[in-house]
């Protein structure tokens, strides 16, 4: 438990500092208060009228302290609303009186008014015969404010922050581990990390690579991914690649479309197929009609070539999902699907298929099985290690080849974990991926 907290010390440090900052902010709001202080002695004259004054007893002293704190006396002293604190000094007949005020003078004046009102009350109304009030030390106030108490406030803020940090650290230590480094992805899939895409706030407004200028970091990421793909198998390059992932929302569709544009820009004829027959996205991304597409061609209503649409990127065509069918998995397993892909390989240098997530439905595995290989998208800090492993197992179970992973939405400063600095450059991939090639499964006509 302690090691989980110590292991996340930066988090605990940050929450503690935030606690101090919040406390400091809160302490600047209240007006500084000064405290006036005075001490009086409550004694009783002997019944005979002469002799030494004697103690009225702790109970009586206590009851006068309560009287001093009451609203009536405050009203009498003309300090309505101010809090009077009267504390009997243990073992004596003395009462220490404290009253706060916005300045040292005001605090002393209020305290003095309370002592005077109390003395007058005792002498004029004589609540108990023979009672005398002597001032031991007259009202005065220190020149430094007594509240807010900065030291205490900051210490409480730091402690609260520390506890919060420790709680978060403990909660996180219990949470399943997520993919956070290239090694995680590499060891679980037994395939290299072919690229990374940093989290891009512009993704919502400019999802297509063609909308970005050539120096944009997303373009640079796609150039690296494209190069690494080329290095994978220099003699017989993959022609049909399925892009999938463990779960929804990991960046499959956006990464596939970006990669397709990057590939087409090098002069290759590229076809992008929306293989997600449940949640298609490519038609919206490219702003094309979806009514005619893959499903339309599969049920034989139109020839595949007639269902394909051109995009604004020269060399890049798109086959949308078409009308959504009630039985996507069955449709993707048909001979018709196999021969459609085979037929289209004649016309294109490369076909990229955007597939649904592997752990949700079988479609992704089916598409990967009829491709030359699969690219597995992993979302940094979100995809769990066990989910990625399960996804890799599903691909292996259908005999699909995992070409590599692409880690998306990485923090912008993660080069040490994923970048060239960690040795994951093109040479690295070339070395790492010299695996034997699996024969293609789709049939050509
Ligand atoms: N690099 C990125 N930076 C910021 N946002 C991103 C990035 N990549 C993807 N996104 C956003 O994440 C969301 C999911 O992306 P996308 O649709 O590509 O995922 P998906 O894996 O295809 O999802 P699904 O499984 O639902 O098809 C989208 O809103 C997209 O804009
Ligand atoms: Mg998608």
């Amino acid at each position: 438990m302690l090691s989980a907290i110590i292991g996340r010390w930066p988090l605990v440090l940050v929450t503690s500092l935030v606690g101090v900052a919040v406390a400091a902010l809160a302490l600047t709001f209240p007006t500084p208060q000064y405290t006036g202080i005075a001490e009086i002695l409550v004694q009783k004259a002997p019944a005979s009228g002469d002799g030494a004054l004697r103690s009225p007893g702790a109970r009586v002293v206590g009851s006068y302290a309560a009287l001093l704190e009451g609203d009536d006396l405050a009203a009498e002293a003309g300090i309505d609303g101010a809090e009077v604190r009267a504390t009997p000094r243990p073992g004596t007949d003395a009462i220490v009186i404290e009253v706060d005020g916005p300045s040292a003078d005001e605090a002393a004046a209020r305290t003095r008014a309370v002592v005077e009102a109390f003395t007058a009350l005792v002498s004029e109304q004589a609540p108990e015969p023979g009672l005398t009030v002597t001032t031991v030390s007259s009202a005065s106030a220190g020149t430094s404010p007594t509240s807010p108490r900065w030291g205490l406030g900051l210490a409480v803020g730091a402690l609260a922050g520390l506890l919060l940090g420790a709680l978060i650290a403990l909660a996180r230590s219990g949470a399943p581990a997520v993919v956070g480094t290239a090694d995680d992805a590499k060891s679980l899939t037994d395939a290299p990390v072919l690229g990374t895409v940093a989290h891009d706030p512009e993704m919502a407004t400019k999802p297509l690579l063609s909308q970005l200028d050539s120096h944009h970091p997303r373009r640079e990421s796609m150039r690296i991914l494209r190069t690494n793909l080329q290095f994978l198998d220099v003699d017989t390059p993959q022609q049909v690649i399925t892009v999938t992932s463990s779960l929804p929302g990991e960046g499959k569709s956006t990464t596939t479309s970006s990669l397709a544009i990057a590939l087409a820009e090098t002069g290759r004829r590229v076809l992008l197929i929306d293989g997600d027959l449940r949640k298609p996205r490519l038609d919206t991304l490219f702003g094309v009609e979806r009514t005619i597409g893959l499903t339309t061609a599969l049920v034989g209503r139109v020839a595949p070539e007639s269902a394909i649409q051109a995009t604004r990127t020269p060399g890049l065509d798109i086959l949308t999902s078409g009308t959504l069918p009630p039985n996507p998995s069955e449709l993707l397993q048909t001979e018709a699907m196999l021969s459609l892909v085979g037929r289209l390989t004649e016309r294109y240098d490369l076909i990229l298929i955007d597939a649904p997530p592997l752990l949700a439905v079988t479609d992704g595995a089916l598409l990967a099985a009829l491709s030359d290989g699969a690219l597995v998208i992993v979302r940094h800090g979100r995809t769990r290690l066990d989910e990625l492993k399960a996804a890799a197992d599903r691909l292996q179970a259908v005999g699909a080849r995992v070409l590599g992973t692409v880690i998306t939405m990485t923090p912008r400063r993660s080069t040490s974990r994923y970048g060239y600095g960690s040795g994951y450059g093109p040479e690295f991939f070339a070395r790492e991926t010299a695996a034997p090639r699996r024969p293609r499964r789709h049939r050509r006509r």
Side-chain angles (χ1 to χ4, degrees):
M1 192 166 112
L2 198 62
S3 62
I5 297 170
I6 293 170
R8 288 180 169 79
W9 67 265
L11 168 80
V12 179
L13 181 69
V14 168
T15 55
S16 303
L17 291 177
V18 170
V20 170
V22 170
L25 192 70
L27 289 167
T28 56
F29 284 111
T31 317
Q33 292 290 313
Y34 296 76
T35 302
I37 188 162
E39 188 169 344
I40 57 170
L41 202 56
V42 181
Q43 287 176 309
K44 214 170 168 192
S48 57
D50 56 315
L53 294 171
R54 58 183 177 80
S55 170
R59 196 181 52 78
V60 174
V61 173
S63 70
Y64 281 110
L67 181 69
L68 274 159
E69 289 185 345
D71 292 342
D72 290 348
L73 193 85
E76 197 64 39
I79 56 160
D80 285 300
E83 186 203 349
V84 178
R85 295 184 295 281
T87 319
R89 203 182 271 287
T92 70
D93 303 322
I95 301 175
V96 176
I97 301 166
E98 289 176 307
V99 187
D100 293 338
S103 68
D105 288 347
E106 176 66 17
R110 287 179 180 184
T111 313
R112 201 172 308 117
V114 170
V115 173
E116 283 165 8
F118 182 65
T119 312
L121 180 89
V122 168
S123 63
E124 286 163 20
Q125 298 182 12
E128 199 164 329
L131 197 76
T132 65
V133 175
T134 321
T135 303
V136 180
S137 68
S138 55
S140 66
T143 48
S144 326
T146 48
S147 91
R149 293 166 73 182
W150 278 82
L152 182 69
L154 294 182
V156 168
L159 192 68
L162 188 117
L163 285 175
L164 182 69
L167 283 176
I168 298 174
L170 283 178
R172 284 204 182 167
S173 71
V178 292
V179 176
T181 65
D183 282 341
D184 291 340
K186 190 169 167 284
S187 62
L188 291 167
T189 57
D190 221 7
V193 178
L194 295 175
T196 61
V197 191
H199 186 272
D200 183 359
E202 274 189 298
M203 190 59 98
T205 48
K206 293 179 181 172
L208 288 185
L209 206 65
S210 44
Q211 295 165 313
L212 308 173
D213 66 53
S214 63
H215 302 296
H216 196 281
R218 205 167 355 128
R219 273 198 171 275
E220 178 58 18
S221 303
M222 285 305 137
R223 276 195 286 270
I224 293 171
L225 175 57
R226 184 178 67 195
T227 311
N228 288 335
L229 267 178
Q230 281 172 288
F231 271 101
L232 271 180
D233 209 335
V234 181
D235 296 333
T236 44
Q238 293 73 36
Q239 205 181 357
V240 182
I241 297 175
T242 287
V243 183
T244 184
S245 78
S246 318
L247 294 168
E250 294 183 301
K252 295 177 287 295
S253 302
T254 39
T255 307
T256 315
S257 49
S258 295
L259 178 62
I261 293 171
L263 286 161
E265 282 174 350
T266 59
R268 270 172 280 191
R269 292 165 303 159
V270 181
L271 175 67
L272 193 50
I273 299 181
D274 200 334
D276 194 335
L277 304 185
R278 299 164 198 264
K279 245 172 75 183
R281 178 134 194 266
L282 298 186
D283 54 300
T284 329
L285 272 175
F286 285 87
V288 295
E289 269 296 316
R290 178 159 61 83
T291 40
I292 294 184
L294 180 60
T295 55
T296 340
L298 286 178
V299 296
R301 292 233 318 269
V302 293
E305 293 78 6
S306 315
I308 289 170
Q309 303 177 62
T311 69
R312 288 186 190 177
T313 302
L316 175 61
D317 288 347
I318 183 168
L319 179 62
T320 67
S321 65
T323 317
L324 301 191
N327 54 346
S329 309
E330 286 154 38
L331 213 52
L332 294 173
Q333 287 188 73
T334 53
E335 280 291 316
M337 180 67 194
L338 213 54
S339 64
L340 176 141
V341 173
R343 176 169 162 172
L344 294 176
T345 53
E346 300 292 338
R347 295 169 55 109
Y348 292 93
D349 298 321
L350 198 89
I351 298 178
L352 285 181
I353 307 177
D354 178 24
L358 290 161
L359 302 188
V361 284
T362 56
D363 309 12
L366 295 171
L367 289 168
L370 62 81
S371 309
D372 296 321
L375 272 184
V376 179
I377 304 293
V378 178
R379 183 167 170 177
H380 170 92
R382 182 70 70 87
T383 308
R384 285 172 18 193
L385 300 183
D386 58 332
E387 291 165 345
L388 180 57
K389 177 80 179 79
D393 288 348
R394 296 224 173 160
L395 289 173
Q396 197 190 11
V398 295
R401 177 182 170 197
V402 179
L403 301 174
T405 55
V406 180
I407 303 181
T408 62
M409 299 184 233
T410 58
R412 300 231 215 140
R413 288 194 209 130
S414 62
T415 43
S416 57
R417 279 192 261 186
Y418 296 120
Y420 287 126
S422 59
Y424 294 100
E427 300 78 16
F428 170 86
F429 295 115
R431 224 175 35 241
E432 287 284 302
T433 55
R437 208 175 123 69
R438 219 172 43 78
R440 277 200 195 101
R441 296 181 165 207
H442 43 262
R443 290 181 206 152
R444 289 160 197 254
R445 278 194 175 165

